[in-house]
Amino acid sequence: MALTNTAPIPELYVSAESAQKLKFEAGNLLSWDLTPRQICDLELLMNGGFNPLKGFLTEADYDGVVENMRLADGTLWPMPITLDVSEKFAEGLEPGTDIALRDQEGVILAIMSVSDKWVPNKAKEAEKVFGADDLAHPAVNYLHNIAGPVYLGGPVTGIQQPVHYDFKARRDTPNELRAYFRKMGWRKIVAFQTRNPLHRAHQELTFRAAREAEANLVIHPVVGMTKPGDVDHFTRVRCYEAVLDKYPAATTHMSLLNLAMRMAGPREAVWHGMIRRNHGFTHFIVGRDHAGPGKNSQGKDFYGPYDAQDLFKKHQDEIGVTMVDFKHMVYVQEKAQYYPANEVPEGCTVLDISGTELRRRLREGLEIPEWFSFPEVVRELRRTSPPRAKQGFTVFFTGLSGSGKSTIANALMVKLMEMGGRPTTLLDGDVVRKHLSSELGFSKEHRDINIKRIGYVASEITKNGGIAICAPIAPYTATRRAVREMIEAYGAFIEVHVATSVEECEKRDRKGLYKLAREGKIKEFTGISDPYEAPEAPELRVDTEGLDVDYCAQQVILKLESMGLIKA
Ligand code: PPS
């Protein structure tokens, strides 16, 4: 059986003295401001977590990795680690140039000697690496909608580690973790990868896995970037700390991994294994649907449940760590203890709570039994996910000028304030244009900026537990979707289409603007000389024709009640 290799792993950092000098010289270089994902990648490149990589992939290495998971020299490497940049940045950049890589505050972390510059075939990358060119896959969405269009490759010289202010004592580089294992005399160590809070079943399965492998255990959670919508890492780490106390003392440790996950299932499992090998582990737990991204746009799983285990087993020798099977543990009521699902004694009652059911209970403030999770973990989760009736949310009215958005929004605000409980803010179209967007006009570009500003303010209000009511025209579907995503990271987003027809709005012409628009005195007027893309599936559609404002506002209140956001 494999024992840990305690020798240090190569890092890409220069000595402290050279770093100071390099940093000074790098001030004159062309600079690239790294994205959050690139900072995660760079940290693991520099500290040896991505060994044997010495920098961002060159084109030849990229082609090999995409095609068959191998670098140009044949070494196994499953994930394209590329530096994606904008066209503008790439334009004047010739291979052979050194660039400074800066964090988001402008601190120089590394110098990259750019050897390659190319425009990747992203559709092919999506197909080969993630299994489908389907935007429902978070990494494919990232590839097409967030990553820059040009890739740069070349070796990296590390100047300093990215700065972290949180959980410093729990963050270890591969060499720090190796040194810890040496100090503790641990020779066989199992890593447990996770991006979710741990409950009793996880504690049971990890404990069993370590016992079966006669090894020590390290909970090695990802705190870089995980799947959008996951529980934030601050909450998770507080939960992990609580679970750590439940293991026999001195057998188990926890260390945080600043990895940006891609949710690439089988390839991701191989990658995770190699990263753990670099951190000095000998064993790695791979479960059912490891690093699965959820359903594709046809509602089917992207990968088969055991694809990750199969691919891992195939490459186990090259990965350099032994796979430990993840047993699905269930609670057996009569025995008052956990059993692997396939070893449940006959006739016994199995209890289990799915992730979806847990989220529902948290959302609705319902009981979460002690057999399922530790009280300390539940307390932490309740602190970050209070029941819906205590969370912030945003009601986003959209519709033509004069459709009645502001009037209904005002009535809604008064009704919500009458109920009390949460601070409520109205971000009305006209008011926002006066206070936040006074320099903007009505071109598509300016409207988008205006709506995104509203979205940002609403997301902050939602994050802090308030109610934001927005009432702009917001004529573009894509911009409304972007706002929805911003807000749904913190609470519910209720899109209300005020579906008054353009004929009716023009007939009312409360501000006299339609007349001016018809006369050509106002250009780009929504509904007359500029488009309005009606929402296809809003949470609510209200038609003001023939209905009074009070009734429309009441419909919104009923919707909020049915979603559990307010209690009557
Ligand atoms: S947008 O498209 O969402 O940024 O528009 P919004 O910020 O809601 O601003 C709409 C109000 O501005 C007045 N107005 C115009 N509307 C549409 N098109 C043009 N060209 C235009 N010029 C001025 C109009 O009074 C809108 O007010 P509401 O409250 O919608 O009636």
Side-chain angles (χ1 to χ4, degrees):
M1 187 150 302
L3 292 182
T4 189
N5 171 8
T6 52
I9 196 123
E11 297 186 348
L12 306 182
Y13 292 112
V14 290
S15 67
E17 200 181 307
S18 315
Q20 200 46 40
K21 200 163 148 262
L22 265 186
K23 201 167 191 168
F24 185 67
E25 288 165 13
N28 299 319
L29 297 177
L30 202 61
S31 285
W32 174 250
D33 295 335
L34 296 158
T35 63
R37 187 166 101 170
Q38 290 169 347
I39 293 176
C40 291
D41 286 351
L42 180 65
E43 177 170 347
L44 286 163
L45 278 172
M46 294 194 295
N47 70 19
F50 286 168
N51 184 62
L53 301 192
K54 300 283 177 255
F56 288 98
L57 294 188
T58 62
E59 188 172 4
D61 283 336
Y62 168 80
D63 287 343
V65 168
V66 168
E67 200 59 53
N68 58 13
M69 303 208 308
R70 292 195 180 273
L71 301 172
D73 68 3
T75 311
L76 183 73
W77 186 264
M79 198 57 66
I81 305 298
T82 48
L83 190 79
D84 56 284
V85 298
S86 62
E87 250 162 20
K88 194 160 167 256
F89 183 78
E91 237 168 39
L93 189 73
E94 289 308 321
T97 314
D98 282 357
I99 59 170
L101 302 180
R102 294 177 189 261
D103 72 7
Q104 299 200 315
E105 285 176 22
V107 176
I108 302 176
L109 302 179
I111 292 176
M112 175 176 171
S113 303
V114 179
S115 61
D116 295 52
K117 170 174 107 173
W118 74 103
V119 175
N121 179 343
K122 290 192 175 181
K124 180 176 172 193
E125 183 179 331
E127 285 286 348
K128 291 275 184 184
V129 178
F130 304 111
D133 192 11
D134 182 336
L135 291 176
H137 192 301
V140 175
N141 181 49
Y142 187 97
L143 183 63
H144 287 299
N145 294 329
I146 302 175
V150 183
Y151 286 178
L152 303 180
V156 157
T157 306
I159 293 179
Q160 72 165 73
Q161 295 194 37
V163 183
H164 300 288
Y165 298 105
D166 55 336
F167 307 115
K168 277 173 188 270
R170 287 285 185 198
R171 293 176 185 266
D172 303 290
T173 66
N175 281 326
E176 284 166 348
L177 212 47
R178 281 170 178 244
Y180 177 80
F181 298 155
R182 266 199 309 275
K183 183 169 149 192
M184 299 301 284
W186 292 5
R187 304 299 308 277
K188 277 197 274 172
I189 311 110
V190 186
F192 181 62
Q193 139 82 33
T194 183
R195 43 170 264 267
N196 287 312
L198 301 186
H199 303 293
R200 284 186 195 268
H202 301 104
Q203 197 268 340
E204 293 278 345
L205 89 86
T206 50
F207 179 65
R208 269 174 176 261
R211 203 173 52 192
E212 275 168 31
E214 295 175 354
N216 290 94
L217 173 69
V218 176
I219 310 294
H220 205 205
V222 171
V223 295
M225 291 168 74
T226 61
K227 198 175 149 191
D230 279 347
V231 176
D232 68 274
H233 81 268
F234 298 101
T235 306
R236 285 191 288 117
V237 175
R238 292 195 298 268
C239 292
Y240 301 140
E241 294 280 5
V243 176
L244 208 57
D245 291 343
K246 313 293 172 192
Y247 292 93
T251 63
T252 306
H253 183 63
M254 175 172 69
S255 178
L256 308 179
L257 179 66
N258 198 43
L259 173 71
M261 289 182 73
R262 315 298 210 251
M263 309 307 299
R267 278 195 185 228
E268 182 113 4
V270 172
W271 188 39
H272 286 178
M274 296 179 79
I275 295 167
R276 269 45 185 234
R277 173 202 65 202
N278 291 334
H279 283 77
F281 291 96
T282 54
H283 293 70
F284 182 56
I285 301 175
V286 181
R288 203 178 168 278
D289 194 25
H290 185 98
K295 306 276 182 214
N296 66 18
S297 50
Q298 266 77 53
K300 299 214 172 71
D301 287 336
F302 275 92
Y303 314 114
Y306 301 105
D307 289 1
Q309 293 189 340
D310 292 346
L311 194 71
F312 199 107
K313 266 185 236 151
K314 197 168 146 201
H315 297 286
Q316 182 158 286
D317 288 346
E318 280 177 284
I319 296 170
V321 291
T322 307
M323 185 179 94
V324 181
D325 195 0
F326 181 124
K327 304 259 186 322
H328 180 53
M329 304 293 292
V330 290
Y331 185 74
V332 177
Q333 195 174 26
E334 289 80 356
K335 306 280 180 193
Q337 73 184 91
Y338 277 85
Y339 279 76
N342 57 354
E343 291 174 26
V344 174
E346 251 197 60
C348 283
T349 322
V350 161
L351 301 181
D352 203 2
I353 293 182
S354 68
T356 315
E357 174 61 11
L358 174 65
R359 281 191 290 278
R360 187 188 73 85
R361 290 188 185 201
L362 283 170
R363 206 167 48 233
E364 299 184 15
L366 301 172
E367 193 222 338
I368 295 164
E370 272 216 33
W371 63 259
F372 176 76
S373 196
F374 304 100
E376 301 92 319
V377 171
V378 174
R379 204 176 313 125
E380 280 303 334
L381 292 178
R382 287 205 199 279
R383 266 177 55 186
T384 6
S385 330
R388 269 202 148 178
K390 291 197 174 139
Q391 282 179 21
F393 62 87
T394 293
V395 181
F396 191 95
F397 289 95
T398 166
L400 296 169
S401 171
S403 57
K405 303 180 299 288
S406 310
T407 323
I408 304 172
N410 266 301
L412 176 67
M413 180 160 95
V414 171
K415 283 178 192 291
L416 289 171
M417 288 174 74
E418 188 185 347
M419 287 179 188
R422 280 172 284 198
T424 307
T425 303
L426 176 60
L427 298 163
D428 190 27
D430 280 337
V431 177
V432 168
R433 283 204 170 257
K434 190 164 156 207
H435 294 295
L436 276 183
S437 296
S438 56
E439 85 286 19
L440 299 180
F442 288 87
S443 64
K444 176 170 189 315
E445 191 197 351
H446 278 193
R447 287 181 198 259
D448 281 353
I449 297 174
N450 181 41
I451 299 307
K452 284 184 181 159
R453 284 181 189 167
I454 296 176
Y456 173 71
V457 176
S459 75
E460 286 294 309
I461 293 171
T462 304
K463 180 168 89 183
N464 291 304
I467 301 174
I469 304 174
C470 313
I473 298 178
Y476 298 107
T477 308
T479 325
R480 291 193 303 260
R481 190 187 308 147
V483 169
R484 177 185 288 275
E485 280 170 17
M486 261 193 252
I487 286 156
E488 282 184 343
Y490 305 114
F493 180 80
I494 302 95
E495 185 174 40
V496 182
H497 179 205
V498 184
T500 316
S501 67
V502 66
E503 294 77 19
E504 175 67 19
C505 293
E506 189 167 3
K507 201 163 79 195
R508 295 180 191 164
D509 205 4
R510 288 180 53 201
K511 298 180 186 165
L513 296 174
Y514 281 89
K515 182 169 173 287
L516 295 176
R518 285 285 178 207
E519 291 166 6
K521 291 184 183 147
I522 302 181
K523 304 269 180 273
E524 301 174 310
F525 195 82
T526 310
I528 303 293
S529 43
D530 220 47
Y532 178 77
E533 299 169 2
E536 279 179 16
E539 274 71 13
L540 184 68
R541 206 184 299 278
V542 291
D543 192 338
T544 60
E545 290 169 48
L547 298 176
D548 71 9
V549 175
D550 223 350
Y551 177 77
C552 294
Q554 198 53 43
Q555 277 181 286
V556 182
I557 293 279
L558 291 175
K559 184 74 200 173
L560 297 176
E561 259 181 34
S562 78
M563 292 174 78
L565 292 164
I566 51 174
K567 289 212 164 113

